[in-house]
Amino acid sequence: MAAEQDPEARAAARPLLTDLYQATMALGYWRAGRARDAAEFELFFRRCPFGGAFALAAGLRDCVRFLRAFRLRDADVQFLASVLPPDTDPAFFEHLRALDCSEVTVRALPEGSLAFPGVPLLQVSGPLLVVQLLETPLLCLVSYASLVATNAARLRLIAGPEKRLLEMGLRRAQGPDGGLTASTYSYLGGFDSSSNVLAGQLRGVPVAGTLAHSFVTSFSGSEVPPDPMLAPAAGEGPGVDLAAKAQVWLEQVCAHLGLGVQEPHPGERAAFVAYALAFPRAFQGLLDTYSVWSGLPNFLAVALALGELGYRAVGVRLDSGDLLQQAQEIRKVFRAAAAQFQVPWLESVLIVVSNNIDEEALARLAQEGSEVNVIGIGTSVVTCPQQPSLGGVYKLVAVGGQPRMKLTEDPEKQTLPGSKAAFRLLGSDGSPLMDMLQLAEEPVPQAGQELRVWPPGAQEPCTVRPAQLCEPLPSLAESRALAQLSLSRLSPEHRRLRSPAQYQVVLSERLQALVNSLCAGQSP
Amino acid sequence: MAAEQDPEARAAARPLLTDLYQATMALGYWRAGRARDAAEFELFFRRCPFGGAFALAAGLRDCVRFLRAFRLRDADVQFLASVLPPDTDPAFFEHLRALDCSEVTVRALPEGSLAFPGVPLLQVSGPLLVVQLLETPLLCLVSYASLVATNAARLRLIAGPEKRLLEMGLRRAQGPDGGLTASTYSYLGGFDSSSNVLAGQLRGVPVAGTLAHSFVTSFSGSEVPPDPMLAPAAGEGPGVDLAAKAQVWLEQVCAHLGLGVQEPHPGERAAFVAYALAFPRAFQGLLDTYSVWSGLPNFLAVALALGELGYRAVGVRLDSGDLLQQAQEIRKVFRAAAAQFQVPWLESVLIVVSNNIDEEALARLAQEGSEVNVIGIGTSVVTCPQQPSLGGVYKLVAVGGQPRMKLTEDPEKQTLPGSKAAFRLLGSDGSPLMDMLQLAEEPVPQAGQELRVWPPGAQEPCTVRPAQLCEPLPSLAESRALAQLSLSRLSPEHRRLRSPAQYQVVLSERLQALVNSLCAGQSP
């Protein structure tokens, strides 16, 4: 239990982040003299998540990092020895101690590319014992990353290209690393930024955020700042007492809005002044701590005081109530105040909203004419409540060059045998029509060539033209660009979030024949 | 981005695992001269998850570990400087560099105790700036841990005390640390074991697991093990060729079952023999790789061969089809075979099942007369699909000894002001009747004393007897025992998984009066 003391040691993927049965099977393979048999596994999912027709592949960068570092330490081997039979041959543990992934080959869909059911995201080949051990960590690293990237992509499709999307779900994630994974891959899927500072530091995700209700409620209005003076934006001229200046503006704002000057909460105004003193070039107000009709005049008073000094307020945030309706009213107030006080920039102050926004609420906020500019989404993006697991699987397809197939009681769980290659077949407009799986040894299909392919379970083959895939591992920013590009290529039919027309994945004739022969109980 | 190279550095909770607005507010407080104001926050949730009437508190051990290690490193401060205004006073960053939690006090519900809406799981007090910075990591560490512990407890309640529950959801978790958190806290909530080896190594959770379909499909039957001989269990006498012995038993088993001896798959039998050679004292068979009517005779052949050598097979696993129905049939076969071959222990071989088991499926498997002994649950326990987030919040309740309250547009988001103490009021049978929140300065209520308390929103107070809480931080095993004990004390009404009668949380008269006065806009 010593490792429990070490806060850094408890989370990243490591060899023992695996199911025990991987270790028991490893011993079984070893005892049977098969540890070094050449094996190939495929990692794929069986259905697109969330009832849609697409998914984005993600998590590969974490897999590569994990595979490069894969090595059982002495403490790991000792722990395994403590849970395996006491009379296990010590030579097995020596074998484990020497393991690494230097003989493992991974072929993968690039991060951010489209992925479809049955088409491997990863094809992992190498010595049977070690590629078996990799099952659980690879599934763990790929499944949630791909799920959250796909979820973020759906939210981006709903929001349209103009609205800014901020991921702010760290507090709802499955622990620290769940949050880091969620922030990284929701950015990959199309969000603009994250509230998660660590994702900024470690992954280069743009970070964003302003203030919470606690900041506002922490002020009563009687606090005296040590330095209430703010210099003009241009840097020249004397500073002014921002709180006093805001108080003057408050009277004008209240008169303009028809409110009593004592109605806006003084603690809230003090909080806004304090925030503006710290962030004169990035002032934002959180409007609904007490009531929007307190927050809005307080914001305007501070924004106009800043404006007099040459600063422009950036935005306001709403976290409760009818967000769309309030945004429309607030924009009207901004327009009227911009005209009244002759500060045109006030019209276009950003309106930022949050509060349990899901796909349905987002569609409403993104509708034509909405005055909302930035949408913060937490729970709905990181927990993927519509479907919290991709259901990725990792299946043995070949050993010693011989195809392997699981038949089972449940036809959906049947696997496709053999080492395979996948090709994405594109239509004349460049959009993907279907993916074709064939045996690795089949000749590469050529563009323009007529191919006979089998939709799964079909009685008859059909025809198309191919284009190859496989790309080098791109940067996170490139993967994100690829994700957006990939999505833009999808046909409108397959872009639908509840798609009756599922994207097809079909089999080559030889692969279909192999399936038929194995189902009939014949040796391949 | 250098830290991205370091696989250990990317996951555990650290100071920058926080929302950016915590850092911007920190600057705001500092600029306002309020960084060291005494503040108190409460961490709580607003509704019990999953439509039930209870939750279990968990995650405290991770919080304590995080708080002890809390310290901003130079690289962290530099990163914050890169995202805050360039003209920020360098003294602010000096302040950050010196921060730790030595002045922070945390009072908490012990791990594994019952938690109810509005009653703080954590009460965090200390300098305003630092306790504000702690918001996101504490929420992240407590919310999911409590959610998954509660989810596991529900599954335990459904399963009853006899069935063994195995958590096997690592591959469905939100990344590596999500999986570790899930395994740890589903054990706390009442599961017996986990497949997650790292949870065993780092947290002391019992681990379990046997073999997957890939192990079975990796054998064709033509493999020759380097050493096919197995010595008798007693260690004396010559070894026997287990595969040959199993082949002899297969003929008797097939005759007994009325099957052709060529029907059971030879690769499957070779896999079982290989596994039995590695685990003669812990042999289990996975029955449904090809068909249960292949797996079952193969299992019996190997189990009876082992039995002849004095070993007892441990169990069989099913991963598809109608699990309850198959378990009944398999038990019948075991009983008949036990009688036929005079091996009584065969009757009680464990039947282990898995395959997307949720609350409903579990209830069926746990019904009276079920022959299922062990139930493996993955997705349903780790992703909490019924409600993937607890919705924990962290709210400011006092600054400088003055109560603080958020009113907002949304009555549900209104907070309870002031530094508080919570008491669990017990009935004469020892079961908790309700929790009472009062101001910290109120006298501690005494057992037997009549108390006037206010249910939230009520017009009239009511009466009861108190018992105090607060315990030292227990070990994981103790927390788990506490969780089970806590649940056993809950009234049947509040134990219901969809409870019309929600457990009540009420306010003391003085607290209610303070709420009234603050709602009326009066200073406290």
Side-chain angles (χ1 to χ4, degrees):
Chain A
M1 301 283 282
E4 201 174 350
Q5 307 309 315
D6 170 8
E8 298 291 15
R10 53 183 283 275
R14 330 185 203 159
L16 285 203
L17 187 87
T18 197
D19 294 308
L20 182 63
Y21 75 6
Q22 313 294 1
T24 57
M25 287 192 278
L27 175 56
Y29 291 134
W30 188 85
R31 178 70 175 78
R34 305 192 57 212
R36 298 194 46 79
D37 282 12
E40 180 167 344
F41 282 81
E42 288 178 353
L43 191 157
F44 60 94
F45 56 87
R46 295 195 177 107
R47 250 173 282 174
C48 286
F50 315 121
F54 67 88
L56 292 175
L60 180 57
R61 70 191 64 243
D62 293 326
C63 291
V64 170
R65 199 179 295 126
F66 166 71
L67 293 169
R68 285 199 178 126
F70 183 94
R71 195 95 201 180
L72 287 154
R73 301 174 302 180
D74 283 346
D76 299 337
V77 175
Q78 281 160 22
F79 182 76
L80 288 176
S82 77
V83 295
L84 290 173
D87 51 359
T88 300
D89 187 340
F92 171 67
F93 298 111
E94 287 316 306
H95 186 86
L96 293 184
R97 253 180 259 272
L99 282 185
D100 62 24
C101 288
S102 57
E103 293 177 66
V104 173
T105 303
V106 176
R107 285 167 293 158
L109 293 187
E111 297 260 86
S113 52
L114 292 166
F116 299 105
V119 179
L121 282 78
L122 299 183
Q123 298 170 290
V124 184
S125 52
L128 179 57
L129 186 151
V130 68
V131 291
Q132 179 74 66
L133 279 179
L134 300 177
E135 172 175 11
T136 311
L138 293 181
L139 280 170
C140 182
L141 292 170
V142 166
S143 295
Y144 176 65
S146 299
L147 186 76
V148 79
T150 306
N151 196 25
R154 293 168 63 87
L155 293 163
R156 169 53 72 198
L157 285 171
I158 293 169
E162 299 300 324
K163 303 293 181 205
R164 279 198 242 162
L165 295 179
L166 165 66
E167 178 275 314
M168 38 175 262
L170 174 55
R171 64 189 62 189
R172 309 292 188 226
Q174 288 183 4
D177 182 66
L180 185 60
T181 308
S183 301
T184 305
Y185 294 104
S186 58
Y187 177 65
L188 187 151
F191 272 51
D192 295 288
S193 55
S194 168
S195 68
N196 184 341
V197 183
L198 196 63
Q201 187 186 29
L202 298 186
R203 302 299 185 96
V205 175
V207 292
T210 54
L211 68 165
H213 295 288
S214 55
F215 189 82
V216 176
T217 58
S218 80
F219 286 82
S220 68
S222 61
E223 297 81 6
V224 182
D227 175 10
M229 307 303 279
L230 182 65
E236 282 163 30
V240 294
D241 181 326
L242 189 66
K245 181 67 76 182
Q247 195 63 42
V248 173
W249 274 106
L250 183 72
E251 291 180 24
Q252 297 194 50
V253 166
C254 286
H256 167 67
L257 296 176
L259 294 169
V261 75
Q262 75 295 342
E263 289 181 53
H265 196 291
E268 182 179 51
R269 191 160 56 258
F272 288 178
V273 168
Y275 196 83
L277 285 172
F279 297 91
R281 292 174 210 278
F283 173 58
Q284 299 199 39
L286 173 58
L287 300 190
D288 61 347
T289 303
Y290 300 107
S291 148
V292 170
W293 291 103
S294 169
L296 189 55
N298 278 331
F299 169 80
L300 286 170
V302 177
L304 288 163
L306 281 174
E308 227 188 300
L309 291 166
Y311 299 101
R312 291 186 181 184
V314 166
V316 293
R317 184 160 82 93
L318 291 167
D319 190 42
S320 57
D322 183 331
L323 302 170
L324 181 72
Q325 176 64 27
Q326 290 179 92
Q328 310 301 101
E329 288 169 22
I330 288 166
R331 183 69 69 206
K332 258 188 231 159
V333 170
F334 284 166
R335 291 205 180 106
Q340 169 79 18
F341 303 116
Q342 301 186 336
V343 280
W345 55 264
L346 196 55
E347 281 194 17
S348 51
V349 161
L350 295 177
I351 300 178
V352 184
V353 300
S354 56
N355 191 17
N356 290 323
I357 293 168
D358 58 13
E359 291 191 354
E360 200 182 334
L362 179 61
R364 187 164 174 264
L365 293 170
Q367 69 186 250
E368 181 121 5
S370 161
E371 294 291 354
V372 169
N373 304 104
V374 184
I375 301 160
I377 305 184
T379 311
S380 285
V381 64
V382 312
T383 70
C384 304
Q386 288 194 81
Q387 180 182 327
S389 164
L390 180 64
V393 295
Y394 181 88
K395 294 297 173 190
L396 182 67
V397 296
V399 186
Q402 294 302 304
R404 289 289 183 262
M405 186 172 183
K406 175 185 164 195
L407 292 168
T408 150
E409 306 282 308
D410 184 347
E412 212 208 11
K413 288 191 159 188
Q414 187 172 301
T415 60
L416 287 172
S419 183
K420 290 181 280 297
F423 295 92
R424 185 147 294 163
L425 309 188
L426 306 177
S428 54
D429 63 349
S431 73
L433 295 173
M434 58 185 67
D435 283 10
M436 182 181 70
L437 293 166
Q438 62 176 41
L439 294 170
E441 70 252 30
E442 294 189 61
V444 171
Q446 302 299 317
Q449 178 194 351
E450 201 149 283
L451 292 169
R452 282 154 58 87
V453 298
W454 290 78
Q459 304 301 320
E460 293 291 328
C462 58
T463 316
V464 260
R465 277 173 298 170
Q468 205 176 341
L469 54 84
C470 245
E471 293 176 21
L473 188 64
S475 72
L476 178 58
E478 284 164 348
S479 299
R480 185 166 182 271
L482 177 62
Q484 301 311 308
L485 190 66
S486 304
L487 286 167
S488 74
R489 285 185 178 149
L490 208 53
S491 71
E493 189 168 277
H494 291 122
R495 260 170 100 123
R496 287 171 58 186
L497 301 184
R498 305 261 177 242
S499 175
Q502 294 291 309
Y503 185 84
Q504 278 206 315
V505 175
V506 297
L507 313 188
S508 75
E509 293 217 274
R510 280 183 59 192
L511 179 55
Q512 179 72 42
L514 178 62
V515 171
N516 294 346
S517 75
L518 287 169
C519 284
Q522 297 152 12
S523 285
Chain B
M1 300 283 283
E4 202 175 349
Q5 306 311 315
D6 171 9
E8 298 291 17
R10 54 182 281 277
R14 328 184 203 161
L16 286 203
L17 187 86
T18 196
D19 293 308
L20 183 63
Y21 75 8
Q22 313 294 1
T24 56
M25 288 191 278
L27 176 56
Y29 291 135
W30 186 85
R31 179 69 175 79
R34 307 192 55 212
R36 298 192 47 78
D37 282 13
E40 180 167 345
F41 284 81
E42 288 176 353
L43 192 157
F44 59 95
F45 57 87
R46 295 191 176 109
R47 248 173 285 175
C48 287
F50 315 120
F54 67 88
L56 292 175
L60 179 58
R61 68 192 64 243
D62 293 324
C63 293
V64 170
R65 199 179 294 125
F66 167 72
L67 294 168
R68 285 198 178 128
F70 183 94
R71 194 95 202 179
L72 287 154
R73 299 173 303 179
D74 283 345
D76 299 338
V77 175
Q78 281 159 22
F79 182 76
L80 288 175
S82 76
V83 295
L84 290 173
D87 51 357
T88 300
D89 188 339
F92 170 67
F93 298 111
E94 288 315 307
H95 186 86
L96 293 184
R97 253 180 259 272
L99 282 185
D100 63 23
C101 289
S102 56
E103 293 176 67
V104 173
T105 302
V106 176
R107 286 167 292 158
L109 293 187
E111 298 260 84
S113 53
L114 292 166
F116 298 105
V119 180
L121 281 77
L122 299 183
Q123 298 171 292
V124 184
S125 52
L128 179 57
L129 186 150
V130 68
V131 290
Q132 179 74 65
L133 279 180
L134 300 178
E135 173 175 11
T136 311
L138 292 181
L139 280 170
C140 182
L141 293 170
V142 166
S143 295
Y144 176 64
S146 299
L147 186 75
V148 79
T150 306
N151 195 25
R154 293 168 62 86
L155 292 163
R156 169 53 72 199
L157 285 172
I158 292 169
E162 299 299 324
K163 303 292 180 206
R164 279 197 241 162
L165 294 179
L166 164 66
E167 178 274 315
M168 38 176 261
L170 173 55
R171 64 190 63 189
R172 310 291 189 228
Q174 288 182 4
D177 182 65
L180 186 60
T181 308
S183 301
T184 305
Y185 294 104
S186 57
Y187 177 65
L188 187 151
F191 273 50
D192 295 288
S193 55
S194 167
S195 69
N196 184 342
V197 182
L198 197 63
Q201 188 185 30
L202 298 186
R203 302 298 185 95
V205 175
V207 292
T210 54
L211 68 166
H213 294 288
S214 55
F215 188 82
V216 178
T217 59
S218 81
F219 286 82
S220 68
S222 61
E223 297 81 6
V224 181
D227 175 11
M229 307 304 278
L230 183 65
E236 283 163 30
V240 296
D241 180 326
L242 188 66
K245 181 68 75 183
Q247 194 63 41
V248 173
W249 274 106
L250 183 72
E251 291 182 23
Q252 296 195 52
V253 166
C254 285
H256 168 67
L257 295 175
L259 293 170
V261 76
Q262 74 295 342
E263 289 181 52
H265 196 290
E268 182 178 52
R269 191 161 57 258
F272 288 179
V273 167
Y275 196 84
L277 285 171
F279 296 91
R281 293 173 208 279
F283 173 57
Q284 299 200 36
L286 174 59
L287 300 190
D288 60 348
T289 303
Y290 301 107
S291 149
V292 170
W293 291 103
S294 168
L296 188 54
N298 277 331
F299 169 80
L300 286 170
V302 177
L304 289 163
L306 282 173
E308 227 187 300
L309 292 165
Y311 300 100
R312 291 188 180 181
V314 167
V316 294
R317 184 160 82 93
L318 291 167
D319 190 41
S320 57
D322 184 330
L323 303 170
L324 181 70
Q325 175 65 24
Q326 291 180 91
Q328 309 302 100
E329 289 168 20
I330 290 166
R331 184 70 69 207
K332 259 188 231 158
V333 170
F334 284 166
R335 290 202 181 107
Q340 170 77 18
F341 303 115
Q342 300 187 335
V343 280
W345 54 264
L346 195 57
E347 279 194 17
S348 51
V349 161
L350 296 177
I351 300 178
V352 184
V353 301
S354 56
N355 191 18
N356 291 320
I357 294 168
D358 59 13
E359 290 191 354
E360 200 181 334
L362 179 61
R364 186 163 175 266
L365 293 170
Q367 69 187 251
E368 180 120 7
S370 162
E371 294 291 354
V372 169
N373 305 104
V374 184
I375 300 161
I377 305 183
T379 312
S380 285
V381 64
V382 311
T383 70
C384 304
Q386 287 194 81
Q387 182 183 324
S389 165
L390 180 65
V393 295
Y394 182 87
K395 295 295 173 190
L396 183 68
V397 296
V399 185
Q402 294 302 304
R404 290 289 182 263
M405 187 173 183
K406 175 184 163 196
L407 292 169
T408 147
E409 306 282 309
D410 183 347
E412 213 210 8
K413 288 191 157 188
Q414 187 173 300
T415 59
L416 287 172
S419 183
K420 290 181 280 294
F423 295 92
R424 185 147 295 162
L425 310 187
L426 306 176
S428 53
D429 63 351
S431 73
L433 294 172
M434 59 184 65
D435 282 10
M436 182 182 71
L437 292 166
Q438 63 176 41
L439 293 171
E441 71 251 31
E442 295 188 61
V444 171
Q446 302 299 317
Q449 177 194 352
E450 200 149 282
L451 293 169
R452 282 156 56 89
V453 299
W454 290 78
Q459 305 299 321
E460 293 292 327
C462 58
T463 317
V464 259
R465 277 174 297 169
Q468 205 176 339
L469 53 84
C470 245
E471 294 177 20
L473 189 63
S475 73
L476 177 59
E478 285 165 346
S479 299
R480 184 164 181 273
L482 178 61
Q484 301 312 307
L485 190 65
S486 303
L487 287 167
S488 74
R489 286 186 179 149
L490 208 53
S491 72
E493 190 169 274
H494 291 123
R495 259 168 101 122
R496 287 172 57 184
L497 301 184
R498 305 262 178 242
S499 175
Q502 295 291 311
Y503 186 82
Q504 277 206 317
V505 174
V506 297
L507 313 188
S508 75
E509 292 218 274
R510 280 182 58 191
L511 180 55
Q512 179 72 42
L514 178 61
V515 170
N516 294 347
S517 75
L518 287 169
C519 285
Q522 297 153 13
S523 287

